[in-house]
Amino acid sequence: MSVELISANHAAALSATLAARANRTARGFCSGVYPITPSTECMEYLCGQEIEKGTVVRADSEHNAMGICIGASAAGARSFTTTCSNGLAYMVENCVAAAGYRLPIVMSVANRTLGPPWNIWADHGDSLLLRDLGWLQLYSADNQEVFDTVLCAFKLAEDPRMLMPALCCMDGFILSHTMAQVDVPSQEQIDRFLPLTDIPHRLDKTAHTLGQMEAPHASVVHRMQHHQAMLGAEQIYAEIQNSFAEIFGRRPADPLVTYRTEDAETLLVSMGTLGVTAERVVDQLREQGKAVGAVRVRMFRPMLDTGLRKIFAGKKRIAVLDRDISIGFGGVLWGEVRGFADPGAIVQNYMVGVAGGDVRPEHMLNLLADLEQRHESGAPQIVEVA
């Protein structure tokens, strides 16, 4: 184990590189990549690495970058790529194919606002485009989580009970370009943690088709199998946490990260780096005697409804903070979790930091003051910040 001072982009690329080397005695590693801000730094780092049995292919577009990953994964290789924003949007057709083929491709996304109008700052609207496509989705709040999440994502996605692609999301620039200390395990430890990639339906010497035409009832069966497999992600992730702790001596973050929620009457619910600010606000309000807690949703797909129902039980007021907007509806996270609260609880949606606004503690204190004076939930609110 060593300690590296690296950006979150480099943490994702380094984690992918170590995972690639861990597959050197199996069918190797392949990555298709194409640059786009703020993910470019991840791609550049990966391109500079020497991998004994593998290659990084500079594609001519994001669409083809995912196509390369699909081909590599279908051949049985461990596969990884990185992108964000409109690059991810351009890639979506092949993301649908990767999910439908049940290929365990891991993709790092430095979340960035979709254009136009063009904007390079953080917003979760890009990765949420893949909400319904059959990709696992994990959101990180610091550089260590980014490194750990990419590593765990390979093990989760490649588990024979899962076999589906995974998104590892970080807030663009807030994390992607911020330097921080990261504990990096040795290659020997990574080798012990990650099993060799074994994709049972890979294309090899036995002739068979992949992605053929099928009748409606067969497609329904495949959708059901995919859905059922994803619902098992929480249990498999718990097994991965235990394995991680045994080998590396520390435990990766839970799918739902709670902070001082046990006796809280009011909750702040969020994803990504908003959760870090929320925890500092909770500390500040606790000093004033206010029963406030925070919940950070790390695993967005599958949505952990049972866990959230338990956390929300007995809570009177819940503020759901979205760094995204579903036009004509409200925040995506709010839409997903509001039904898990007790009947009569006030669940108010605040879309804050949309398009990269700098969300500070005073902004959260203001919206909590708004929540406190409410007698019932209102329409979702867009909160403008500096």
Side-chain angles (χ1 to χ4, degrees):
M1 187 84 72
S2 63
V3 177
E4 304 278 348
L5 183 62
I6 52 178
S7 70
N9 263 332
H10 284 183
L14 177 56
S15 188
T17 300
L18 294 167
R21 291 172 181 153
N23 207 41
R24 59 192 177 281
T25 59
R27 298 179 73 86
F29 172 82
C30 182
S31 174
V33 292
Y34 188 81
I36 181 170
T37 303
S39 292
T40 303
E41 193 183 52
C42 179
M43 166 201 152
E44 290 173 337
Y45 187 98
L46 191 64
C47 288
Q49 301 305 301
E50 291 186 8
I51 300 168
E52 299 94 316
K53 189 177 181 180
T55 185
V56 180
V57 181
R58 284 77 159 174
D60 60 0
S61 70
E62 289 91 346
H63 190 275
N64 285 347
M66 180 52 65
I68 290 165
C69 291
I70 288 172
S73 188
R78 181 160 287 158
S79 188
F80 172 86
T81 191
T82 179
T83 193
C84 63
S85 190
N86 288 60
L88 180 58
Y90 187 33
M91 189 185 279
V92 164
E93 183 186 37
N94 272 338
C95 290
V96 175
Y101 294 152
R102 301 288 297 273
L103 297 173
I105 298 163
V106 173
M107 176 158 60
S108 169
V109 173
N111 289 108
R112 172 190 141 182
T113 306
L114 287 160
W118 300 108
N119 178 320
I120 61 172
W121 289 279
D123 187 294
H124 295 156
D126 53 357
S127 54
L128 292 174
L129 283 175
L130 272 58
R131 183 187 67 170
D132 303 324
L133 301 187
W135 282 65
L136 298 156
Q137 289 206 24
L138 298 154
Y139 289 77
S140 295
D142 59 40
N143 294 15
Q144 187 68 62
E145 275 192 15
V146 170
F147 180 92
D148 296 347
T149 299
V150 170
L151 207 55
C152 291
F154 278 114
K155 189 156 182 165
L156 180 61
E158 293 177 3
D159 188 287
R161 294 166 289 180
M162 297 297 297
L163 291 174
M164 66 186 71
L167 280 183
C168 301
C169 303
M170 66 177 95
D171 290 349
F173 290 107
I174 299 171
L175 282 189
S176 65
H177 286 65
T178 299
M179 306 287 282
Q181 288 187 342
V182 174
D183 287 337
V184 179
S186 66
Q187 186 64 61
E188 291 73 21
Q189 290 173 303
I190 302 285
D191 292 349
R192 288 173 54 203
F193 176 69
L194 277 180
L196 300 177
T197 304
D198 182 13
I199 301 173
H201 55 296
R202 69 177 182 269
L203 299 171
D204 55 15
K205 294 179 181 177
T206 303
H208 65 277
T209 60
L210 184 66
Q212 72 278 12
M213 175 73 79
E214 63 181 11
H217 72 276
S219 289
V220 171
V221 170
H222 285 140
R223 294 288 189 276
M224 182 178 67
Q225 291 172 338
H226 197 155
H227 177 64
Q228 291 296 331
M230 184 174 282
L231 293 180
E234 184 180 16
Q235 177 57 42
I236 297 171
Y237 184 79
E239 297 171 13
I240 292 171
Q241 286 180 294
N242 292 336
S243 173
F244 193 105
E246 180 181 347
I247 296 172
F248 303 135
R250 56 184 178 80
R251 193 172 182 83
D254 290 333
L256 297 172
V257 179
T258 59
Y259 189 75
R260 306 181 77 166
T261 58
E262 292 79 6
D263 60 342
E265 296 179 352
T266 300
L267 293 180
L268 286 162
V269 183
S270 62
M271 297 197 299
T273 55
L274 285 178
V276 178
T277 307
E279 291 179 2
R280 300 293 78 77
V281 168
V282 167
D283 287 340
Q284 186 175 339
L285 292 175
R286 286 280 179 167
E287 291 177 359
Q288 301 171 16
K290 296 184 177 179
V292 181
V295 182
R296 182 158 57 87
V297 177
R298 284 229 324 125
M299 183 176 281
F300 179 77
R301 274 295 179 273
M303 178 54 67
L304 305 180
D305 56 347
T306 302
L308 284 167
R309 286 182 196 280
K310 290 179 180 176
I311 295 168
F312 287 0
K315 309 309 179 191
K316 300 175 181 176
R317 298 175 185 274
I318 300 173
V320 183
L321 315 183
D322 271 279
R323 194 186 280 279
D324 61 78
I325 178 170
S326 174
I327 303 294
F329 175 71
V332 174
L333 180 62
W334 166 75
E336 296 262 343
V337 307
R338 60 176 172 164
F340 303 148
D342 290 348
I346 298 173
V347 184
Q348 181 61 42
N349 184 210
Y350 301 96
M351 289 166 280
V352 62
V354 172
D358 182 18
V359 183
R360 301 171 186 166
E362 56 264 35
H363 300 129
M364 292 193 185
L365 290 170
N366 288 339
L367 64 87
L368 280 172
D370 175 81
L371 180 67
E372 188 65 28
Q373 56 82 35
R374 287 181 177 273
H375 300 291
E376 60 182 12
S377 304
Q381 289 191 358
I382 298 177
V383 180
E384 295 185 43
V385 297

